[in-house]
Amino acid sequence: MGVPTTLEERQQLLDEFKQTLPPTVVKDLPEYLLLQCLDGNLWNFNDAKQQLLDTVEWRTKMGVDDLPVATKYNRLPVLMACRGYRHIEDTNFTVQPGISESTIRILNYVGGDCFHKFDKEGHPILIDRTGYHDAKHLGSHVTSEEITNYQVAANEFLNRVIMPEATEKAGQSIHSETIIFDCTHMSLRQFHMSAMYHLKAIADIVQHYYPETLHRLFVVNAPSAFVVMFKVIRPWLNPRTLEKIHVLGSDYQSVLLKYIDPENLPEFLGGQCQCKHMPGGCVPILPQKSSDKFQATADNEKVATVYNTDIMQAALKDKSLSSLLSEDEIKAMVGSSG
Ligand SMILES: [Zn+2]
């Protein structure tokens, strides 16, 4: 048995793989997760099965399926900027009641993230202002639990709100993203070991429990110091992840344009998009000066979860907060209540 080369082989091996799993796992899990585990383990059934069962156990233990995610239907406060999607309005992060204090603290130290449109193959694009991260404070003022919760919330938002649209738009199953780390403004101050450990915690979660969710990762404007840092990170990443990472210097524009249409790529990365309708344009840089930082109020509870406790609890009872409903379902709900 090896890696299948045709669609028919893929389907046949997937059916065989299902026979080896407990029936409840096959029934409860989406088929794409089975395929991600198979791809991530080069179709070794034993390894794929182990990863799948570990993932189910982890999701149950962490209550991942009941985590709330913001949509334009449930109107929960959003955790990061978005541009160009159907199920969430174009939005920037702002302080709102219901968001936890830890989320606000984290977002004062990261440089700015935005889910920004799709690449040529239909994968959603995440752009990160890596060069503006305040690694020192992120390392010392945020716990690994807090940053992990934020990362899981971001992954679930991507999987439930943006990926269904990507799949529908592309007419085929899409469950991985294209990421751009823009190192513009990066300096040696940012290489802090405590921040590196956070990065390791995130890499561990994503590689273990979100297999094959990375399509391509471009690191652009990478300074030579980044190459040194990358040597520290490399051993934390599995070979399949490493294959997908492209570290590019200042001459990156033509590479990005090979994979992303100019109208979907921000002007500051060599494309034509400016998102003039939004403050901060395509990917707002989060406040750098301490006087401009987001301020938590008494409405922002000091908990390690991304939202306040009442929203976390409400999501346990109300599926419209934790899953993406179709527009027809929303209409039916509105109709029956009114
Ligand atoms: Zn834009």
Side-chain angles (χ1 to χ4, degrees):
M1 181 173 51
V3 177
T5 50
T6 64
L7 276 176
E8 290 77 24
E9 258 177 49
R10 228 174 130 77
Q11 189 57 51
Q12 194 192 333
L13 282 176
L14 175 65
D15 291 339
E16 281 175 35
F17 180 58
K18 284 181 184 173
Q19 306 284 323
T20 72
L21 301 171
T24 49
V25 170
V26 179
K27 192 169 112 327
D28 293 343
L29 292 183
E31 200 162 79
Y32 73 81
L33 189 58
L34 271 51
L35 285 166
Q36 284 172 324
C37 283
L38 284 164
D39 282 330
N41 291 285
L42 301 174
W43 291 74
N44 177 308
F45 279 13
N46 284 332
D47 294 351
K49 183 177 174 181
Q50 191 56 53
Q51 184 169 25
L52 198 59
L53 297 179
D54 288 350
T55 303
V56 173
E57 194 190 320
W58 174 79
R59 291 186 71 89
T60 309
K61 194 180 85 195
M62 302 275 290
V64 176
D65 290 314
D66 295 316
L67 289 180
V69 289
T71 67
K72 74 176 179 193
Y73 317 111
N74 68 28
R75 313 205 66 85
L76 283 180
V78 293
L79 302 174
M80 66 170 70
C82 296
R83 303 284 187 269
Y85 301 114
R86 270 181 61 206
H87 300 298
I88 188 92
E89 278 145 4
D90 284 3
T91 182
N92 286 345
F93 175 77
T94 54
V95 172
Q96 287 180 52
I99 292 180
S100 74
E101 180 274 338
S102 64
T103 298
I104 295 165
R105 193 161 14 96
I106 289 170
L107 290 177
N108 273 328
Y109 302 136
V110 298
D113 282 290
C114 183
F115 284 116
H116 187 278
K117 304 185 171 181
F118 297 98
D119 69 12
K120 284 187 187 177
E121 296 161 290
H123 300 266
I125 306 167
L126 173 69
I127 303 173
D128 178 270
R129 301 269 199 176
T130 316
Y132 288 90
H133 283 253
D134 181 348
K136 188 179 166 195
H137 286 103
L138 201 57
S140 54
H141 293 2
V142 175
T143 67
S144 280
E145 187 192 7
E146 289 167 340
I147 196 93
T148 300
N149 283 346
Y150 182 79
Q151 183 62 40
V152 170
N155 279 353
E156 291 302 315
F157 172 74
L158 174 68
N159 283 344
R160 295 186 220 158
V161 182
I162 297 180
M163 290 303 185
E165 179 184 347
T167 297
E168 191 185 340
K169 219 168 120 85
Q172 56 166 320
S173 180
I174 294 221
H175 294 283
S176 58
E177 62 180 329
T178 287
I179 301 179
I180 302 172
F181 282 173
D182 179 10
C183 297
T184 305
H185 197 259
M186 188 175 269
S187 73
L188 274 175
R189 294 185 295 116
Q190 288 174 305
F191 304 113
H192 269 268
M193 230 24 235
S194 48
M196 295 287 194
Y197 287 127
H198 286 338
L199 197 61
K200 182 172 187 318
I202 292 172
D204 283 348
I205 295 273
V206 172
Q207 292 184 122
H208 278 103
Y209 305 123
Y210 295 95
E212 297 295 302
T213 48
L214 177 65
H215 183 56
R216 287 195 182 88
L217 169 63
F218 299 100
V219 181
V220 306
N221 272 318
S224 50
F226 179 86
V227 180
V228 177
M229 183 179 79
F230 200 57
K231 281 191 183 141
V232 179
I233 302 171
R234 277 191 87 90
W236 302 342
L237 303 173
N238 67 38
R240 280 185 65 81
T241 305
L242 283 170
E243 263 172 33
K244 297 171 184 169
I245 301 180
H246 308 256
V247 179
L248 308 168
S250 56
D251 196 18
Y252 59 85
Q253 292 85 349
S254 59
V255 180
L256 292 186
L257 286 166
K258 213 162 92 185
Y259 300 103
I260 303 169
D261 288 322
E263 63 271 26
N264 292 335
L265 184 67
E267 198 178 39
F268 72 88
L269 293 174
Q272 289 164 3
C273 190
Q274 295 185 39
C275 287
K276 278 190 177 151
H277 62 298
M278 293 300 293
C282 294
V283 189
I285 297 169
L286 295 179
Q288 298 296 301
K289 282 193 298 188
S290 47
S291 54
D292 298 340
K293 296 273 182 203
F294 300 122
Q295 297 294 330
T297 71
D299 291 330
N300 307 112
E301 214 178 299
K302 284 188 167 43
V303 285
T305 50
V306 291
Y307 291 111
N308 284 356
T309 313
D310 57 343
I311 293 182
M312 299 300 290
Q313 304 240 312
L316 288 174
K317 296 187 197 110
D318 181 355
K319 283 286 156 217
S320 73
L321 298 180
S322 60
S323 63
L324 178 66
L325 300 177
S326 73
E327 278 155 79
D328 288 344
E329 284 173 296
I330 302 277
K331 275 185 208 139
M333 273 170 52
V334 173
S336 64
S337 66

